[in-house]
Every structure is written in structure tokens, then in C-alpha cells.
Amino acid sequence: MLLGTTVMAVGTVFSFSQQATAQTSNQKKMSKKILFVVTSHDKLGDTGESTGYYLGEVSHPWAVLTAAGYEIDFVSPKGGNPTYYGANTEDPVNRQFLADVTYQKKIQNTLTPSEVNPSEYVAILYAGGHGTMWDFADNAELAEIARQIYENNGIVSAVCHGPAGLVNIKLSNGNYLVDGKKINAFTNEEETAVKLEKVVPYSLETKLIERGARFEKSGLWQEHVTVDQRVVTGQNPQSAHGVGEAVLAELRKL
């Protein structure tokens, strides 16, 4: 009788364990939230010009991912209402984003990193804009959020100058996230073409290579999206829509 009770108890524990595992799996499948990171930095070095995040590098991935049913949250290093540029209103996707009351309220009231629970998100996307070169790479809180999302089998993505956010992400094994992976970003040639190679605090392409990235690139302003081991990167504004599509394709594999 005692043996039977013991077997029943073990069976009950095993059943609860199966249920817990299934519940965790189902919760992950049900999660439809993606975190977009935008810069809080609004000054372009000592030029006297303003900067911020680049509008199309938010609006285009946003359009792709929300159309697929994902909810987007926004975080910035300082929280609040970040500045942006590149407001080309001839672009219908930009117009759509700027007219969306719900998402304008969200991006004008970005979360701070301390307000983010990484377990809620299946992906993170670092949007570009020159401001990122001053406040993405050394933000340890954002790097930790990205690490947790990635190590929870999520997607890490970035476009243009957004890969500045990938520079110092280290995984639990001590390796840089980008080490050994195919990565692209705004290239040295593109930085020179916009005459800002002496304004930005470092070369993004060079820094990623120093971290072990297998850097890929195309010619000036050519669309180029790279996917490697759940890391998605795009070279420039022209690649923003493609980054959104690549993130979506990776999410569908999970």
C-alpha cells in the first residue's frame, strides 16, 4: 500500500513538472512583445547640430512587426521623449507611424531600462540614428536586457548605427555576442560619405570587428541584411524594412 502511495506521489510530482514545463513553453509561444531601443542623445558631437534616432529605422520595422500581430514597447537610456530626425513624410510608412496615436504616445514616453522586464519580450531591436554612437555601447543595463532576451532563445537585432548597442553585450560564457557571427552596420565608407567620420566617437564597423564580428557590407546606401544565430543586422536606413522582415522570419522559427 505504501509503495502504491509513493508511486502515486512521484507520478503527481512528474505530472506537475510536465504541466509547468508546458505552461512555460505556452507562455513563450503566446508572447507577442518586441522591445525597440532608441537613443536619448540629441547632440551631434560639437557640430551644434541635433541628432537622435532615425525615424525610418523605427517606422519600417514597426510596420512589418505590428502588421504580423506583435506589440512594440520602446525603451531609451534616459526614458521619456527622445528626439528624432529623417522625418521624410513622403514616405507613407513614416506617415503611418506618426499618425498612430497609440504608438506616438508610447515612443514619446519611452521606458527606462530599469522598467523593462526582459522575460516579456521575444526580440529586441536597436534602432539607428547617430545619437546611438554616444549612449548605446556603454549602457550596461541595455546590454543585460539584450543578453537575457537572447539567452532566453529570443532575437537580437539592430539597424544602421543601432549595432552600437551590440558592441559590449557579453553572454553568460563571457564571449561578446557578436564574436564569430556575421554582422553588418553603417560602414566606414558611409560614415565618410556623410562627413561624420571625425565627429562620431568611434568607428562602428571597426569596433564590431575588434569584438570578433565577421563584418559584412555592401556599397554605399545598398540594402544589406545579415542573419546569423538569431542576430539580425542591417547596414543603413535602406535596410530597415528588410530587418523587420528578417526578424519576423526568425521569430516564426522559434
Side-chain angles (χ1 to χ4, degrees):
M1 186 69 178
L2 181 59
L3 178 60
T5 303
T6 303
V7 171
M8 287 178 61
V10 171
T12 301
V13 171
F14 182 69
S15 177
F16 283 154
S17 176
Q18 283 185 315
Q19 290 174 15
T21 301
Q23 186 176 14
T24 301
S25 177
N26 288 338
Q27 285 174 342
K28 184 154 187 67
K29 288 178 181 178
M30 289 168 58
S31 178
K32 298 281 282 187
K33 293 181 72 176
I34 298 171
L35 186 67
F36 276 31
V37 188
V38 293
T39 178
S40 296
H41 192 84
D42 61 359
K43 293 181 175 57
L44 191 59
D46 297 324
T47 65
E49 298 179 27
S50 62
T51 188
Y53 70 86
Y54 195 84
L55 180 61
E57 293 166 17
V58 169
S59 66
H60 279 264
W62 164 85
V64 171
L65 295 166
T66 54
Y70 287 88
E71 177 186 355
I72 309 296
D73 285 342
F74 298 97
V75 63
S76 63
K78 294 181 179 178
N81 189 6
T83 61
Y84 66 90
Y85 66 107
N88 174 15
T89 52
E90 293 182 3
D91 181 340
V93 178
N94 282 348
R95 291 201 305 269
Q96 179 189 358
F97 181 69
L98 292 172
D100 191 300
V101 175
T102 298
Y103 275 98
Q104 284 305 300
K105 183 177 180 180
K106 278 192 167 193
I107 202 164
Q108 290 169 21
N109 295 275
T110 60
L111 302 168
T112 61
S114 63
E115 294 175 309
V116 172
N117 178 359
S119 67
E120 295 181 1
Y121 301 96
V122 291
I124 184 170
L125 187 148
Y126 287 87
H130 270 94
T132 66
M133 296 292 287
W134 282 269
D135 68 354
F136 270 15
D138 294 326
N139 192 295
E141 287 182 291
L142 288 172
E144 175 61 13
I145 290 167
R147 180 196 68 77
Q148 289 191 40
I149 290 171
Y150 185 75
E151 292 188 343
N152 195 33
N153 202 42
I155 312 301
V156 172
S157 60
V159 59
C160 198
H161 287 89
L166 310 187
V167 164
N168 287 322
I169 297 174
K170 280 191 173 182
L171 302 177
S172 295
N173 62 11
N175 294 338
Y176 285 108
L177 171 70
V178 299
D179 188 14
K181 294 183 178 71
K182 293 183 289 184
I183 300 290
N184 73 9
F186 204 67
T187 66
N188 289 346
E189 291 84 358
E190 286 170 323
E191 204 71 82
T192 299
V194 296
K195 300 180 180 179
L196 291 174
E197 76 279 8
K198 295 181 180 179
V199 174
V200 292
Y202 57 92
S203 158
L204 182 53
E205 175 185 333
T206 302
K207 186 66 71 175
L208 288 165
I209 292 170
E210 288 174 359
R211 295 294 192 250
R214 296 162 55 198
F215 199 86
E216 295 187 345
K217 58 183 171 182
S218 295
L220 297 177
W221 325 126
Q222 298 301 305
E223 180 180 351
H224 190 143
V225 176
T226 297
V227 181
D228 192 0
Q229 301 174 62
R230 291 183 290 108
V231 177
V232 177
T233 45
Q235 182 171 317
N236 44 36
Q238 290 77 8
S239 307
H241 191 85
V243 165
E245 291 180 329
V247 169
L248 181 58
E250 288 299 291
L251 286 168
R252 286 172 172 164
K253 297 177 184 178
L254 299 181

